[in-house]
Amino acid sequence: MKLAERVQRIQPSATLAITARANALKAEGKDIIGFGAGEPDFDTPMNIKRAAIDAIHQGFTKYTPVAGTDELREAIAEKFRRDNNLVYRKSQIVVSCGAKHSLANLSQVLFERGDEVIIPAPYWVSYPDIVCLSDAEPVIVKTDETTNFKMTPGQLSESITKRTKALILNSPSNPTGAVYTRDELAALAEIVLEHDMVVISDDIYEHILYDDVPFCTIANISEEMKEKTIVVNGVSKTYAMTGWRIGYAAGPEEIMSQVAKVQSQNTSNPSSIAQKAALEAIRGGQDTVGIMVSEFQKRRDYIVAALNDIEGISCTMPAGAFYVFPTVSGLYGRSFRGTSITNSTELAAWLLDDALVAVVPGAAFGSDAHMRLSYAASMAHIERGMERISDAVNGLE
């Protein structure tokens, strides 16, 4: 049977593949230390779980409006006013089955064959493939440590062509933890407006910030820029709700109405029960968020120091999210039992097979000189993992 050409252009999610491989080894009885999944290790707060249980008991188990319940969309609008000083009407908000689903919906609505979509690298693994599934072409703009992994206005200008349709921007960033300042976003916004582009701003890590770094989304820069921006967010990272699958997007009504139309044919509404849980997450107490972020900061400080103590590895200090993205190319050319390590994929495979540590190769994020580790894990887990990596690297020839 001949399959559609579009599926040949994409790859399975590298982060999910690493997690699946690590879980398979665990099932074989091996003691795997996993740094692969971008998933808080904290449990979903009890008030949120109770809201879901109450929804079940109350029989809230039927279809809801495709774009989400009125109550949840109103709560999200309140959240935008409260946290971001952005005003959206309920009709400008669509709730989906996770932020990834929101991104996929937007790609189907906005992009088509012949369009180019600018994506700064390192990037979240799914951005290029989501663009490819809409028959558009991802244009990768490489960044590095010299700019703290942030795209400069000059790089953006140089990457724009007559076919450029949009820019996907993620701050705080997965995988680097980079956070754009307001001034940096303003400089990018000036170019975006000059070329009449659209920005998809992935703000999923907005509340996971350290060292008093403030959050700003590019939609904050001006009302004109807000009209060119679709903000994507969700409850998965902030409230440890990855499995609940609730994301949302807000933007111009002419775009969001079409997002709802696409969703009506793909999935209908997101889970009714999960929507009730998300409502409580957004409107309920926020104390658990600060507790979680404080713990993440301790882990960040430890893992960065531990990685920098390993010869051949260097790691910058991330300002947000819960990932480190160390440079590991200093290990390339070294070997283990006669087998040379020449790239991030080989390094990740070796660490998993021989050190029983799961990391994600930087190649999956558009930078083969790096690897990504999630520190959304207990401190004891991180300490053991760093010890294993250090011992393994010391054994290289």
Side-chain angles (χ1 to χ4, degrees):
M1 178 183 291
K2 184 180 183 299
L3 301 178
E5 187 269 337
R6 71 176 65 87
V7 301
Q8 311 302 320
R9 298 198 301 266
I10 66 171
Q11 299 294 323
S13 168
T15 51
L16 296 181
I18 288 289
T19 301
R21 170 69 175 145
N23 288 339
L25 290 173
K26 285 181 181 179
E28 294 174 6
K30 294 187 178 180
D31 180 25
I32 303 296
I33 300 292
F35 292 115
E39 180 172 54
D41 61 313
F42 298 95
D43 193 13
T44 303
M46 185 57 68
N47 64 309
I48 298 172
K49 292 194 287 186
R50 286 198 189 100
I53 293 168
D54 289 344
I56 294 171
H57 287 317
Q58 293 164 11
F60 193 74
T61 56
K62 309 298 183 182
Y63 291 131
T64 75
V66 167
T69 64
D70 288 352
E71 191 177 23
L72 178 54
R73 285 190 291 160
E74 287 167 359
I76 291 168
E78 291 167 8
K79 177 263 173 218
F80 276 119
R81 289 193 293 271
R82 178 189 73 206
D83 296 346
N84 309 115
N85 196 29
L86 292 172
V87 177
Y88 291 106
R89 298 183 301 277
K90 181 178 60 179
S91 58
Q92 293 179 279
I93 296 168
V94 174
V95 183
S96 302
C97 306
K100 182 184 284 191
H101 186 208
S102 297
L103 291 163
N105 284 338
L106 285 164
S107 184
Q108 290 297 306
V109 167
L110 294 171
F111 310 142
E112 59 190 350
R113 190 174 302 278
D115 289 339
E116 293 179 346
V117 180
I118 297 171
I119 303 173
Y123 45 71
W124 179 49
V125 295
S126 292
Y127 292 147
D129 289 310
I130 287 172
V131 169
C132 285
L133 280 171
S134 67
D135 295 324
E137 181 180 346
V139 175
I140 307 304
V141 177
K142 292 188 176 295
T143 70
D144 57 31
E145 290 89 343
T146 61
T147 61
N148 291 320
F149 295 112
K150 290 183 277 190
M151 181 178 62
T152 66
Q155 288 179 306
L156 176 58
S157 292
E158 291 170 5
S159 65
I160 295 172
T161 73
K162 292 180 180 179
R163 297 169 57 192
T164 302
K165 185 70 174 289
L167 163 67
I168 297 178
L169 203 59
N170 176 213
S171 174
S173 162
N174 173 7
T176 67
V179 179
Y180 285 84
T181 67
R182 187 182 185 91
D183 287 345
E184 289 166 339
L185 291 173
L188 296 177
E190 184 176 345
I191 297 165
V192 167
L193 293 173
E194 179 185 345
H195 292 274
D196 195 28
M197 298 161 54
V198 173
V199 176
I200 296 176
S201 182
D202 184 350
D203 297 354
I204 193 71
Y205 297 97
E206 71 162 308
H207 290 298
I208 305 177
L209 292 160
Y210 312 112
D211 305 318
D212 297 320
V213 170
F215 175 76
C216 181
T217 182
I218 197 167
N220 286 133
I221 298 305
S222 67
E223 189 62 30
E224 187 181 8
M225 190 63 241
K226 177 173 173 277
E227 290 303 308
K228 290 292 183 180
T229 303
I230 303 97
V231 177
V232 175
N233 211 320
V235 298
S236 60
K237 312 299 183 180
T238 301
Y239 303 103
M241 293 177 67
T242 50
W244 297 80
R245 307 314 302 137
I246 294 292
Y248 53 86
E253 190 165 345
E254 63 179 344
I255 294 174
M256 300 314 298
S257 63
Q258 299 309 301
V259 167
K261 182 168 72 174
V262 167
Q263 184 162 295
S264 75
Q265 297 295 355
N266 284 339
T267 62
S268 300
N269 61 278
S271 161
S272 58
I273 298 160
Q275 287 187 69
K276 282 291 190 180
L279 178 66
E280 174 61 25
I282 292 169
R283 281 187 171 164
Q286 304 294 304
D287 292 348
T288 56
V289 178
I291 293 169
M292 185 171 66
V293 171
S294 178
E295 184 58 33
F296 280 149
Q297 181 160 346
K298 295 174 187 175
R299 299 172 185 180
R300 177 203 65 164
D301 294 347
Y302 178 87
I303 198 170
V304 169
L307 286 166
N308 282 320
D309 282 342
I310 301 174
E311 185 180 356
I313 298 178
S314 64
C315 186
T316 58
M317 183 70 76
F322 41 64
Y323 309 102
V324 283
F325 201 61
T327 303
V328 293
S329 53
L331 301 176
Y332 299 170
R334 297 176 67 177
S335 61
F336 181 75
R337 295 175 184 169
T339 301
S340 181
I341 297 171
T342 63
N343 56 51
S344 63
T345 301
E346 292 174 355
L347 178 64
W350 166 69
L351 284 173
L352 184 56
D353 292 338
D354 290 271
L356 303 181
V357 175
V359 303
V360 187
F365 304 94
S367 184
D368 197 34
H370 298 83
M371 65 183 182
R372 192 198 78 172
L373 296 85
S374 168
Y375 51 89
S378 70
M379 186 66 83
H381 186 98
I382 293 170
E383 290 172 351
R384 288 171 59 216
M386 289 301 99
E387 184 177 351
R388 288 187 187 183
I389 293 175
S390 179
D391 290 344
V393 169
N394 288 336
L396 291 174
E397 299 173 354

